[in-house]
Amino acid sequence: MHYPMRGCMLVVMDAHATPEDIQAVCTVIEDMGLQANTMPGPTRTAIGITGNKGAIAEAARLKLMPGVRDVIRVTAPYKLVSREYREADTIIEINGVQIGGPSLVVMAGPCSVEGRKQLLTTAEAVKAAGATILRGGAFKPRTSPYSFQGMGEDGLKLLAEARELTGMPVITEVMDTEQVDLVAEYADILQLGARNMQNFALLKRVGRTRRPVMLKRGLSSTVKDWLLSAEYIMAEGNQAVILCERGIRTFDDHSRGTFDLSVVPVLRELTHLPIIVDPSHATGRWQSILPMARAGIASGADGLMIEVHPNPAEAWSDGEQSLLPERFVELMEQVERIADAMDRPIQGRTKAATV
Ligand code: PEP
Ligand code: MN
């Protein structure tokens, strides 16, 4: 197997290393024909070395340089994704909305974009309740080929219009390498769906865009599979990756999936990437969304993805798990109390309270 990041190294600088020490190390790395990626952390700066195909012969030389505490090999199979590689949490900022920062983010909207009125009504409602990112599918991964497949570019145009009107960045799914340029033209965040988590061509392709990518966990994927998929995106140069737990397949069928919230603290240890949880797709039933959204925030996630529809009974997809706008308001009120206990304000609601 060709493994481009085999032997990935990290230069750990002293807490007291000067900017000149750091620069000198970077220069030596670049002189070796490799890339130096400087990552300031809360306690020290680390410099990741990429571009090497095997062990770095000159590692010993780096170890002797002023300000260098250690040169280590990143042991996790995923490198750029790992907490070893980057100590500080990754924070992704889009138009003033932060994902992975100290405050929480809520992404909400319909499963599918169905039309102008449906989308704009939902967008206004979720914004008023404190959502700061609008979701809506224009290309839909449906289990049956006879189900509604999404509005395509017309749906993307409506999302762009909703962004204009509300100021909310939009997230939407891209299912195919051939759609990437089109979707990236309209969307602020590219969503990679559960069914495409190991579509390696698509992972590499979105890795070459400059749009943040939210990677949903595959239906039967281990954490290692998931993080290696995130690594595919990052290895192409796109560092803005968000992970989204959306339920996995287990033996029980009391709900659509099993919402694996115990993965949140595990991911926190293994990776610096932001973590969003999606109780809508995980449980598949509107009655479970509110309690599991509370639990998701209590588990330490950086935010939520929630499906909301003005008339769930008539929704073209995922109606049974979509919340009425008034139920979404109730969800936000209850989640805010959990968020307070976690010392993590919800971004949209903080703004609402301070204007
Ligand atoms: C969605 O977000 O509408 C969706 C299809 O999600 P998932 O890929 O998690 O099923
Ligand atoms: Mn859906």
Side-chain angles (χ1 to χ4, degrees):
M1 183 177 78
H2 174 62
Y3 197 176
M5 295 298 291
R6 186 182 56 219
C8 171
M9 306 291 286
L10 193 64
V11 181
V12 182
M13 300 302 290
D14 247 24
H16 307 295
T18 64
E20 291 74 31
D21 293 339
I22 295 168
Q23 188 47 53
V25 171
C26 292
T27 305
V28 169
I29 294 168
E30 279 153 16
D31 287 349
M32 294 173 193
L34 305 172
Q35 288 97 51
N37 311 280
T38 309
M39 291 166 293
T43 56
R44 41 83 175 156
T45 292
I47 304 164
I49 307 176
T50 54
N52 55 305
K53 291 278 189 307
I56 299 165
E58 295 94 332
R61 181 171 149 216
L62 291 170
K63 224 171 179 169
L64 298 175
M65 293 186 68
V68 172
R69 189 167 62 188
D70 207 356
V71 180
I72 58 172
R73 195 171 167 273
V74 179
T75 52
Y78 29 84
K79 309 295 180 191
L80 305 171
V81 161
S82 75
R83 192 60 93 178
E84 276 173 290
Y85 190 78
R86 187 188 153 99
E87 188 190 17
D89 290 340
T90 284
I91 302 176
I92 296 167
E93 187 155 340
I94 305 158
N95 268 345
V97 178
Q98 280 196 347
I99 306 166
S103 53
L104 301 171
V105 66
V106 178
M107 309 177 178
C111 178
S112 298
V113 177
E114 298 170 6
R116 195 164 182 275
K117 186 157 179 277
Q118 173 250 17
L119 184 66
L120 298 185
T121 314
T122 314
E124 296 289 359
V126 298
K127 184 185 175 181
T132 38
I133 295 181
L134 177 66
R135 68 145 286 143
F139 293 99
K140 297 303 302 175
R142 303 307 299 280
T143 303
S144 164
Y146 306 117
S147 301
F148 172 59
Q149 303 286 310
M151 287 183 71
E153 187 168 2
D154 290 341
L156 297 175
K157 287 183 178 157
L158 290 174
L159 285 166
E161 189 180 342
R163 170 179 49 216
E164 282 296 306
L165 288 173
T166 62
M168 281 194 284
V170 299
I171 177 168
T172 196
E173 177 160 356
V174 56
M175 287 171 48
D176 197 292
T177 48
E178 286 169 21
Q179 290 165 354
V180 172
D181 286 333
L182 177 71
V183 178
E185 208 181 292
Y186 293 95
D188 299 287
I189 307 173
L190 304 174
Q191 176 171 315
L192 256 59
R195 291 155 193 81
N196 263 321
M197 192 203 82
Q198 287 190 312
N199 180 339
F200 300 116
L202 184 58
L203 294 167
K204 288 192 224 171
R205 185 65 188 78
V206 297
R208 292 198 291 274
T209 70
R210 293 282 76 88
R211 290 271 181 249
V213 177
M214 186 167 91
L215 179 65
K216 289 191 143 196
R217 183 181 186 178
L219 302 171
S220 311
S221 297
T222 63
V223 167
K224 188 173 161 192
D225 294 340
W226 191 9
L227 294 179
L228 282 169
S229 287
E231 186 81 14
Y232 263 93
I233 301 170
M234 295 183 76
E236 294 293 330
N238 189 344
Q239 307 303 301
V241 179
I242 304 155
L243 300 169
C244 177
E245 160 60 33
R246 50 77 70 212
I248 49 173
R249 287 263 163 97
T250 58
F251 59 87
D252 210 342
D253 60 1
H254 65 79
S255 65
R256 185 172 176 178
T258 295
F259 196 18
D260 183 14
L261 288 182
S262 58
V263 83
V264 176
V266 172
L267 291 174
R268 276 274 172 256
E269 283 173 35
L270 297 177
T271 178
H272 52 84
L273 296 175
I275 307 162
I276 298 296
V277 296
D278 172 354
S280 303
H281 292 88
T283 68
R285 43 193 308 275
W286 68 265
Q287 298 91 334
S288 296
I289 314 293
L290 201 159
M292 297 319 288
R294 291 194 309 250
I297 293 308
S299 76
D302 298 306
L304 299 169
M305 168 165 268
I306 306 287
E307 285 186 341
V308 179
H309 195 286
N311 184 1
E314 300 290 322
W316 296 358
S317 60
D318 284 351
E320 54 302 333
Q321 68 193 36
S322 297
L323 295 183
L324 280 163
E326 53 267 36
R327 291 211 169 96
F328 180 67
V329 171
E330 196 186 339
L331 177 146
M332 293 297 279
E333 285 166 359
Q334 293 197 17
V335 165
E336 189 167 41
R337 296 172 65 187
I338 307 291
D340 283 347
M342 303 290 293
D343 260 338
R344 297 189 74 183
I346 301 173
Q347 285 171 69
R349 294 182 71 85
T350 315
K351 275 186 215 139
T354 52
V355 283

